[in-house]
Amino acid sequence: MQHSEFLSHVISTLKRYEMLPEHTAVLVGFSGGADSVTLLSVLHELSEGVGDVPAFPLYACHVHHGIRGAEADRDEQFCRTFCKERDIPFTALHADVPALAKESGESVEHCGRKVRYGFFEEVSDRILRQHPDLSGVRVATAHTASDNAETVLFYLARGTGLSGLAGIPPVRGSVIRPLIECSREDIEAYCEEQGLPFMVDSTNDDVSYTRNRIRHEVLPVLENIHSGAAGHIAKTAVTLQRDVDCFDTLARQLLERSRRGEDTLDVSVLREAPDAVLIRTLAIAMRSFTDVAAEQRHLEDFLNWIRTGEKFKQMQVPGGAFVTLAGDKLLLHWPKEEGEDVERTFKRTVTMAECLEFVSETPTKVTVRLLKRDTRRPDFDAYLLENSLIYDKIDFNFVLRTRRPGDTFAPKGRGLTKKLKTLYQEAGVSADKRADRVILEQNGQVAWLEGFGAAEGFAPSDGTRYVWTVEVLR
């Protein structure tokens, strides 16, 4: 595939899946391998604006997993040099993934993935704090059609539903995969044509890793049976993704009809749906209510509970969340954490003035100050934007309160919504400090969260004139 043809192919993927909204930066997960070198090289060329693709700021980050010693040091130095030569801002993280995996009881592969994506979020937040004019950051990973085929086979062998057979989605939240329709052979040919250097990870040949074994031992057999097997599997995954999107729509509609409160579903409503829609609804509910992805075997158990008319069942799923069937109610919930004090709460509906000071009546006194500010005044510092809200988005009847069970928050620029509990856990906020964290609610939505700032849609940019600045004093 020639350079112009390859570039057009990637641009087509970017446009088809709407990967790059306007005023968005791109952060590339850069390992130094052929796939990520190709991805960063292509995006660097496009970052100045090519054809219908608008210009965008480009960044790169690299994770040293603490696994391959001097070889990993070599890869990091290669990535630094590659980015320096092209004037691409670069950030690296050193992590002892084997030690973290041993501590958590996870596989090294799964733990490494968590470390990488956590780092992507951290760097994305940093970019947004430095550039409040941006509407978001998209994280670009170098997954290819070959990776997609391997993923489908992995899930198929383990047992999966339609989502697993659909493989790696081109877009998931803020994560984009511009090379998802390119084969590994396309990538290697591109690197050779362009004279691009890249690093080779020696662990890629280690078949003790599941995906390597699929790549080196399973796919070659399938290729002998039918030439182009990997490409055909990847194309099948794309076709199935359309079915997934359809079922997702039906499942979300059923989820809304069956909701009874923050963490409860009405079983009598769920029973009306066919199994294909019901099991997908249960999967979405698990992710939505507990931020845990249930395994297929658990979903089958929940489906069986509903179909056989069980009256009481309970199961704890990986991650610690519980699913409880009680009569006609299905509850998806977390156990109460030791040290959480649900009595330390306050709630106040506020009629807004130009300036407000509110002192809570909780055992831990909290003073909240809100002030309307003009960002064009010379005494307004840009850093205040991080803790401000767009003036026009907050009406004159909002709520200041502490958290309630089931509260969710959409961090600016992330393209996702998370439970407050999950955010607090990830940020290391202890249970005894969560109960009196201040929340500003607008029309039932958390618009501002102490420690995290404004939510998506409420955060001002450099062009915003009037804002509410929020200050919390203890």
Side-chain angles (χ1 to χ4, degrees), residues 271 304-311 325:
R271 284 198 188 101
N304 189 54
W305 293 356
I306 294 171
R307 290 297 185 226
T308 57
E310 295 283 356
K311 292 302 180 185
L325 176 68

Side-chain angles (χ1 to χ4, degrees), residues 127-135 382 385-386 412 459-462:
I127 292 170
L128 287 174
R129 287 196 297 270
Q130 294 170 349
H131 303 282
D133 56 310
L134 294 172
S135 61
L385 286 175
E386 295 184 19
K412 176 191 172 187
S461 64
D462 281 341

Side-chain angles (χ1 to χ4, degrees), residues 290-469:
T290 68
D291 203 37
V292 171
E295 295 182 11
Q296 185 69 19
R297 58 192 177 93
H298 296 137
L299 296 173
E300 295 286 353
D301 285 338
F302 306 150
L303 177 67
N304 189 54
W305 293 356
I306 294 171
R307 290 297 185 226
T308 57
E310 295 283 356
K311 292 302 180 185
F312 182 84
K313 285 283 188 178
Q314 187 174 72
M315 180 188 296
Q316 188 170 22
V317 297
F322 280 92
V323 178
T324 302
L325 176 68
D328 266 348
K329 293 181 179 179
L330 188 71
L331 294 88
L332 303 99
H333 57 101
W334 291 91
K336 182 180 176 182
E337 289 192 9
E338 187 176 343
E340 281 189 304
D341 184 355
V342 296
E343 299 301 322
R344 253 173 44 211
T345 61
F346 67 82
K347 178 178 179 180
R348 174 174 173 177
T349 301
V350 180
T351 299
M352 191 53 137
E354 294 293 298
C355 179
L356 168 78
E357 180 168 299
F358 167 65
V359 182
S360 75
E361 299 176 355
T362 58
T364 303
K365 297 294 183 183
V366 180
T367 301
V368 185
R369 293 176 181 166
L370 293 101
L371 177 65
K372 179 183 175 184
R373 300 289 298 271
D374 186 341
T375 63
R376 299 184 186 181
R377 287 178 58 90
D379 61 343
F380 185 88
D381 292 319
Y383 78 90
L384 290 174
L385 286 175
E386 295 184 19
N387 229 29
S388 299
L389 299 118
I390 299 174
Y391 173 78
D392 293 334
K393 287 293 185 74
I394 304 299
D395 63 26
F396 287 86
N397 286 287
F398 64 91
V399 175
L400 278 175
R401 63 172 175 84
T402 45
R403 71 182 181 126
R404 294 193 303 257
D407 273 337
T408 60
F409 182 73
K412 176 191 172 187
R414 296 271 197 88
L416 52 81
T417 299
K418 288 193 174 185
K419 288 267 193 180
L420 262 60
K421 185 184 185 95
T422 302
L423 286 172
Y424 289 149
Q425 288 172 334
E426 292 174 348
V429 180
S430 60
D432 64 322
K433 294 181 179 179
R434 299 174 190 176
D436 57 4
R437 283 287 181 105
V438 177
I439 289 171
L440 191 152
E441 176 189 298
Q442 174 69 46
N443 296 325
Q445 182 179 358
V446 176
W448 183 90
L449 176 61
E450 182 183 355
F452 295 86
E456 182 71 49
F458 292 91
S461 64
D462 281 341
T464 305
R465 173 141 190 201
Y466 292 109
V467 299
W468 296 117
T469 59

Side-chain angles (χ1 to χ4, degrees), residues 162 242-258 269-270 272-282 284:
L162 194 58
R242 290 196 288 266
D243 296 339
V244 168
D245 293 340
C246 175
F247 276 110
D248 274 350
T249 298
L250 295 174
R252 292 184 188 283
Q253 292 171 351
L254 177 61
L255 181 59
E256 289 308 308
R257 292 200 307 273
S258 63
V269 176
L270 295 176
E272 298 173 358
D275 287 359
V277 176
L278 176 51
I279 201 164
R280 192 152 204 84
T281 303
L282 295 171
I284 294 173

Side-chain angles (χ1 to χ4, degrees), residues 59-88:
Y59 301 81
C61 65
H62 174 87
V63 177
H64 187 305
H65 294 82
I67 295 176
R68 295 178 291 119
E71 185 179 283
D73 296 337
R74 175 208 67 181
D75 290 355
E76 180 184 340
Q77 186 55 51
F78 168 83
C79 292
R80 287 186 182 278
T81 302
F82 190 94
C83 290
K84 185 176 181 180
E85 290 173 349
R86 292 159 179 79
D87 199 26
I88 301 171

Side-chain angles (χ1 to χ4, degrees), residues 15 43 50 64 84 96 99 107 111 119 156 160 188 201 214 221 251 264 402 409 451 453:
K15 292 172 61 179
L43 289 178
V50 175
H64 187 305
K84 185 176 181 180
D96 189 347
S107 70
C111 183
F119 184 50
L156 182 61
T160 186
E188 292 171 355
D201 183 343
I214 293 172
V221 174
T264 304
T402 45
F409 182 73

